[in-house]
C-alpha cells in the first residue's frame, strides 16, 4: 500500500473542538447557547442512528438540541407548520430535516420552507445559488467535509484536475461547485458517463459519491491522486454474520496501492458531515446574532 490514509475521525474531532470553543464564546455574548433543531419523520433505521448521533454531538459541542420526532404518517402540511414555527423561534439558529422523507412528502417543498439563514444543511435553493455564485451562505455539510479533508493534504487546489462521480444535490453538485470555487478544473461525472475510467485517470483529486460499492478501481487512478470516498454501502452479510460490512464506492485495497492519499470507509468522510453541521450551526447563530445586534443599534 502506498497511499496515506486521511484520518477523518481526527480532522472531525479537531473541528468539533474548534466549534465548541466558538459556541462557548458566542453563548457568553448572546446570553444563550446556539440551538439546532433536528426533525425526523418516520422510523428509517439509518436515519434514527444519524439523528441520535447529531443530537449527542450537538450537546457535546455546548449547543442546545431541539429534537422533533414525528410519525411516518405526518402530513406535509403539518411538517410545513412545524418548520414555520422553527423559522420564527428565536432560540433556533439551525434547522435540519433528516432525509429521506416519507414518500407522501415532497422534500423540495419542505427544504424551500426552511428560512435560508437557518438552513444548516445548505440545501435551500438560495444557499445553492449562493454557493454557485461564490457568495457567503450555508453550504452542504458532506461536500464541505470533503473539501476540508482534501485541503488537509493539498492546501492549494489551483489548476489541479478534480473529478466528481455523482451529481446529487446533497453531495456531487455542491462538491463540484466548491472545487471550482477553489480554482480546480472540474469534471462532473455519474453512472451514465461514457469512458469514466479514462476520465478518472486524468484527475489529481477524485470525489466519489455514487452509492455504488467498489465502483472506482485501482487502474482508474492517476498515481499519487487524492481519493475521497463518500460512499456508505452495506454489503450482504457473510454466512453466520448478523450484518454485512460497510464499504465505500472505492475499491479500497486496489486504489490505495496507486493513490497518494485516500479516505477510509468508515472513518473518512462520515465523521466530517456532523462536524460540518455543527460548524454551520455556529455560523448561522453568529450571523443571526450580528444581524440582531445591528438592528438594535440602528
Ligand atoms: N441524510 C443523509 N445525509 C443527510 C444530510 O447530510 N442531511 C440530511 N438532512 N439528511 C441526510
Amino acid at each position: 500500500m502506498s497511499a496515506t490514509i486521511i484520518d477523518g475521525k481526527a480532522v472531525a474531532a479537531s473541528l468539533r473542538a474548534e466549534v465548541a470553543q466558538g459556541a462557548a464564546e458566542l453563548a457568553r455574548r448572546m446570553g444563550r447557547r446556539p440551538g439546532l433543531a433536528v426533525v425526523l419523520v418516520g422510523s428509517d433505521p439509518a436515519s434514527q442512528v444519524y439523528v441520535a448521533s447529531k443530537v449527542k454531538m450537538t450537546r457535546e459541542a455546548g449547543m442546545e438540541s431541539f429534537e422533533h420526532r414525528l410519525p411516518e404518517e405526518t402530513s406535509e402540511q403539518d411538517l410545513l407548520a412545524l418548520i414555520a414555527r422553527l423559522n420564527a423561534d428565536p432560540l433556533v439558529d439551525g434547522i435540519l430535516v433528516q432525509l429521506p422523507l416519507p414518500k407522501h412528502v415532497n422534500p423540495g417543498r419542505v427544504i424551500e420552507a426552511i428560512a435560508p439563514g437557518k438552513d444548516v444543511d445548505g440545501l435551500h435553493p438560495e444557499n445553492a445559488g449562493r454557493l454557485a455564485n461564490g457568495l457567503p451562505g450555508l453550504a452542504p455539510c458532506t461536500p464541505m467535509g470533503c473539501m476540508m479533508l482534501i485541503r488537509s493534504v493539498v492546501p492549494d487546489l489551483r489548476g489541479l484536475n478534480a473529478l466528481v462521480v455523482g451529481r446529487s444535490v446533497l453531495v456531487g453538485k455542491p462538491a463540484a461547485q466548491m472545487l471550482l470555487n477553489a480554482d480546480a478544473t472540474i469534471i462532473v461525472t455519474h453512472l451514465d458517463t461514457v469512458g469514466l475510467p479514462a476520465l478518472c485517470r486524468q484527475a489529481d483529486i477524485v470525489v466519489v459519491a455514487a452509492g455504488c460499492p467498489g465502483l472506482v478501481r485501482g487502474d482508474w487512478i492517476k498515481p499519487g491522486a487524492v481519493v475521497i470516498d463518500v460512499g456508505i454501502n452495506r454489503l450482504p452479510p457473510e454466512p453466520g454474520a448478523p450484518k454485512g460490512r460497510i464499504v465505500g464506492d472505492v475499491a479500497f485495497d486496489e486504489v490505495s496501492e496507486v493513490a497518494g492519499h485516500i479516505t477510509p470507509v468508515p472513518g473518512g468522510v462520515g465523521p466530517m458531515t456532523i462536524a460540518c453541521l455543527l460548524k454551520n450551526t455556529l455560523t448561522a447563530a453568529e450571523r443571526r446574532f450580528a444581524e440582531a445586534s445591528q438592528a438594535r443599534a440602528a
Side-chain angles (χ1 to χ4, degrees):
M1 165 158 161
S2 68
T4 310
I5 305 277
I6 303 176
D7 186 349
K9 268 196 216 168
V11 179
S14 110
L15 177 58
R16 288 199 310 272
E18 196 184 293
V19 170
Q21 207 173 1
E25 218 167 277
L26 183 62
R28 269 194 297 279
R29 289 195 284 133
M30 293 201 297
R32 66 165 181 90
R33 296 165 182 238
L36 171 63
V38 179
V39 180
L40 174 60
V41 185
S43 53
D44 177 75
S47 292
Q48 303 257 18
V49 174
Y50 289 139
V51 165
S53 192
K54 285 170 186 174
V55 168
K56 177 170 174 276
M57 292 199 179
T58 302
R59 293 188 175 134
E60 282 174 6
M63 303 202 259
E64 211 64 64
S65 173
F66 306 102
E67 234 182 305
H68 296 268
R69 289 174 182 263
L70 307 176
E72 179 82 21
E73 59 276 11
T74 301
S75 69
E76 187 175 296
Q77 201 183 3
D78 284 353
L79 182 54
L80 292 175
L82 170 62
I83 289 174
R85 284 203 302 280
L86 297 173
N87 283 343
D89 186 337
L91 302 181
V92 171
D93 298 292
I95 302 170
L96 178 134
V97 178
Q98 186 67 28
L99 301 173
L101 286 166
K103 298 245 177 316
H104 64 275
V105 179
N106 178 333
R109 224 174 280 153
V110 172
I111 288 162
E112 284 192 41
I114 297 172
K118 294 190 178 187
D119 168 39
V120 285
D121 243 345
L123 298 178
H124 190 285
E126 178 173 323
N127 282 318
R130 286 180 167 273
L131 178 63
N133 286 8
L135 297 171
L138 291 165
C141 305
T142 301
M144 198 171 149
C146 293
M147 289 302 288
M148 294 181 78
L149 294 181
I150 294 167
R151 284 213 157 98
S152 75
V153 293
V154 184
D156 184 4
L157 305 188
R158 180 177 299 269
L160 296 181
N161 288 337
L163 177 133
V164 179
V165 190
R167 53 177 153 183
S168 68
V169 170
L170 210 53
V171 186
K173 279 182 198 164
Q177 297 287 1
M178 289 177 195
L179 289 160
L180 186 60
N181 289 347
D183 300 319
T185 302
I186 52 168
I187 307 176
V188 187
T189 70
H190 46 82
L191 292 176
D192 294 322
T193 297
V194 175
L196 184 49
L199 289 171
C200 201
R201 275 191 288 273
Q202 300 177 24
D204 305 296
I205 294 158
V206 180
V207 177
V208 194
C212 186
L215 172 73
V216 174
R217 307 298 303 258
D219 62 357
W220 295 25
I221 297 298
K222 179 174 172 178
V226 178
V227 179
I228 305 293
D229 189 351
V230 184
I232 301 179
N233 310 286
R234 192 178 286 282
L235 295 180
E238 309 266 329
K243 277 187 181 176
R245 262 186 333 124
I246 297 280
V247 299
D249 292 349
V250 171
F252 182 87
D253 291 346
E254 286 178 14
V255 169
S256 57
E257 292 297 329
V258 188
H261 302 271
I262 186 167
T263 59
V265 176
V269 175
M272 292 303 291
T273 299
I274 298 185
C276 289
L277 170 68
L278 302 177
K279 170 83 179 156
N280 271 350
T281 304
L282 177 60
T283 302
E286 283 171 342
R287 289 189 186 147
R288 292 186 64 241
F289 182 61
E291 280 165 20
S293 307
Q294 271 170 5
R296 269 197 304 274

